[in-house]
Amino acid sequence: MAEILSDRPALSWVEVHPENYLRNHPARAALHQVRRDVPVSLHGVALSLGSYDGLDRGHLRELRFLADEIGAGLVSEHLAWSRVGGIYVNDLLPLPYTDETLAIVCRNVDQAQEALGRRILVENPSSYLGFNHSCIAEPEFLAEIAARTGCGLLCDVNNIFVTAENFGLDPVGYIDALPAAAIGEVHLSGHFRTSREGQKLLIDDHGDRVCPEVWALFRHALGRFGSVPVMIEWDKSLPPLAVLQDEAARAETIAGEVVRESCFDIAC
Amino acid sequence: MTSLAEVQSAFGRAVLGGDFSALTPYVRTDGISAAGRIGVYRNNVVTSLTALLADRFPVVERLVGDGYFSFAAESFIRAAPPGQACLDGYGSEFPSFLAAFPSCAALPYLPDVARLEWKLFAIARAEFAEPLTLAALAGLNADTAANLRLRCDPAIDYLASDWPVDRIWQAHQSDVAEANINAGACRVELRRYDKKLTIRALAPAEFAFRSALAGGSVLGEAVTLAFEESGDFDFFQALATLFSEQWVTGQNDPATSQEGT
């Protein structure tokens, strides 16, 4: 944030985790300064859209206040949960994909959109654990949430790759099963390769450059979704801003190529 | 039929308490065991909260070493997990947890070092408030002055300790000096100036006066407490200094305001 304020690089927009700005007054003041030059979008990590216990109304009020104050361009959250019995687990925990969960998530998304006074985007998570009683595939589950609540979807291409690698799924099939019209934003990031019990496991740590497979999936995704805002996420071992700008430039180049390809398709 | 409530309650016990038994039957175990998969989430939760505490209590971590700090942090996370989506307040109970943690008894000053670090963390994030000038007291009625309340800059706090925690903290800002832990008690004012955090030792009477006012005491009470510390306390000088140091950001004169009545 300091680098953005001192160097004033050419950025199309800035996306932040709202939780870091709710009660930290100097950080909030800095965000207001950034907002003077570029639009700001909010990418929440603690709303807990998948909680059986429902949403925290106090947190929603604080979020609404911040979103209104900075005129947030987009507000997004995850298909995950973190709140149970009044306790917040500081992580995006996985959900069993069942009819019961679908009803609960839709109830919570409805409540969030009403409390925030705007449409939200729901992002596909990275998963390391599946449930025996899950009976709906994740992209269909997301499509159904969008259809029932009118929310948009945030397609994190790296998360699709991580989840697909961890569970032996087809990432292209996943992207093709998402409702293209509902996609309001795309995320890209790096991940970390490790193993458990002799089996490979990819961990989404937002701590590296985007890998070649994810760039290829990104190209495929844009072919389906058309022109949508793209964000590079990097939270851990933060590189100089120039590296982030380099990744963003690459995303822009691919987006430009995909648009030209689709124009060519139409012309033929 | 499995309900989401059961799964989430079992998941909470697994990641925060380390008891995987209730969650295990629900977990698909293709290739990696349930324990291996749950462990990824438990590790994420514990390491990220430990890192958050280490960021807020860096001197405590240096004093006890990172291995012991992780052990204490994990015990704390298990005993007092976060209760709010916004984690800004998380760790406020860590100093009192350390005070009651049996294996910390060998470092009796540790809880107060933690209190100092927590207060510094909190004032660093405090809101900005415009200071008042002494002119704000121009219409003060001498009869009611004793009941006047002054609002302190939110980026100021006070700490009294039986240990020289200010010197211990200072010594750990660089590698040059070891603090003498037998240097005695301290009474300090902590303040954010612009972005810089400062720690200043105060004389007992001035500490009593300022910390009482900051804690919400009326002027009369604060002066009484200051005189109990020292008969030489110069009230007018102390009051003028509060204004010259831009300490006062609001006032409630009972003669002119209904606030707080």
Side-chain angles (χ1 to χ4, degrees), chain B residues 8-31:
Chain B
Q8 293 187 334
S9 139
F11 220 123
R13 287 199 295 281
V15 290
L16 290 166
D19 172 12
F20 294 5
S21 59
L23 182 60
T24 297
Y26 299 127
V27 178
R28 217 167 61 209
T29 56
D30 36 359

Side-chain angles (χ1 to χ4, degrees), chain A residues 176-194:
Chain A
D176 291 347
L178 288 173
I183 306 295
E185 185 179 344
V186 166
H187 274 182
L188 292 169
S189 63
H191 56 259
F192 167 65
R193 271 179 188 272
T194 180

Side-chain angles (χ1 to χ4, degrees), chain A residues 103-158:
Chain A
I104 288 165
V105 172
C106 288
R107 175 199 71 190
N108 291 343
V109 170
D110 283 338
Q111 191 194 347
Q113 296 193 124
E114 198 184 318
L116 297 172
R118 45 179 48 87
R119 182 180 189 240
I120 63 168
L121 305 178
V122 177
E123 177 182 335
N124 59 296
S126 282
S127 298
Y128 318 109
L129 177 157
F131 293 93
N132 288 319
H133 60 297
S134 276
C135 54
I136 307 171
E138 191 170 279
E140 279 84 24
F141 196 89
L142 285 159
E144 195 57 31
I145 296 168
R148 290 193 197 178
T149 67
C151 76
L153 298 178
L154 193 167
C155 174
D156 187 313
V157 181
N158 179 63

Side-chain angles (χ1 to χ4, degrees), chain B residues 134 235-245:
Chain B
L134 194 51
F235 161 66
F236 291 105
Q237 177 63 39
L239 187 63
T241 309
L242 288 184
F243 284 93
S244 66
E245 291 181 5

Side-chain angles (χ1 to χ4, degrees), chain B residues 27-40:
Chain B
V27 178
R28 217 167 61 209
T29 56
D30 36 359
I32 301 175
S33 67
R37 292 186 181 280
I38 300 166
V40 174

Side-chain angles (χ1 to χ4, degrees), chain A residues 23-26 50 52 59 81 86-91 93-95 100 128 130-133 167 197 199 201, chain B residues 2-4 8 11 16 25-28 31-33 37 41 44-45 48 82 84-85 87-88 124-127 192:
Chain A
R23 299 177 200 168
N24 181 343
H25 295 273
Y52 176 86
H59 181 60
W81 68 280
I87 286 170
Y88 267 95
V89 177
N90 184 34
D91 199 8
L93 300 179
L95 287 163
E100 184 210 11
Y128 318 109
F131 293 93
N132 288 319
H133 60 297
F167 295 100
E197 299 162 18
Q199 180 156 320
L201 190 73
Chain B
T2 305
S3 91
L4 186 61
Q8 293 187 334
F11 220 123
L16 290 166
Y26 299 127
V27 178
R28 217 167 61 209
I32 301 175
S33 67
R37 292 186 181 280
Y41 289 96
N44 279 352
V45 169
S48 65
Q84 291 194 307
L87 290 169
D88 282 30
R125 295 177 166 226
E127 59 193 302
R192 178 189 69 201

Side-chain angles (χ1 to χ4, degrees), chain A residues 7-83:
Chain A
D7 299 356
R8 304 287 173 107
L11 300 172
S12 357
W13 98 96
V14 166
E15 188 166 287
V16 298
H17 293 316
E19 295 81 3
N20 297 337
Y21 299 87
L22 295 178
R23 299 177 200 168
N24 181 343
H25 295 273
R28 192 151 171 152
L31 188 64
H32 274 280
Q33 258 181 292
V34 168
R35 176 67 186 90
R36 277 187 228 143
D37 296 332
V38 284
V40 171
S41 64
L42 301 179
H43 183 49
V45 290
L47 195 50
S48 197
L49 287 175
S51 267
Y52 176 86
D53 294 347
L55 305 182
D56 176 342
R57 288 167 199 274
H59 181 60
L60 272 174
R61 270 196 300 275
E62 284 185 89
L63 212 50
R64 166 78 188 252
F65 198 74
L66 177 66
D68 286 352
E69 202 180 88
I70 60 156
L74 292 167
V75 177
S76 53
E77 252 295 345
H78 297 82
L79 176 60
W81 68 280
S82 53
R83 178 172 186 250

Side-chain angles (χ1 to χ4, degrees), chain B residues 193-250:
Chain B
Y193 280 105
D194 193 16
K195 285 175 186 165
K196 196 173 179 310
L197 299 177
T198 60
I199 301 179
R200 181 165 67 131
L202 296 181
E206 190 164 28
F207 180 87
F209 179 63
R210 290 183 170 216
S211 61
L213 287 175
S217 292
V218 295
L219 207 49
E221 288 165 359
V223 170
T224 305
L225 290 168
F227 274 117
E228 281 172 14
E229 293 291 342
S230 165
D232 296 336
F233 178 66
D234 183 343
F235 161 66
F236 291 105
Q237 177 63 39
L239 187 63
T241 309
L242 288 184
F243 284 93
S244 66
E245 291 181 5
Q246 306 195 324
W247 186 102
V248 185
T249 58

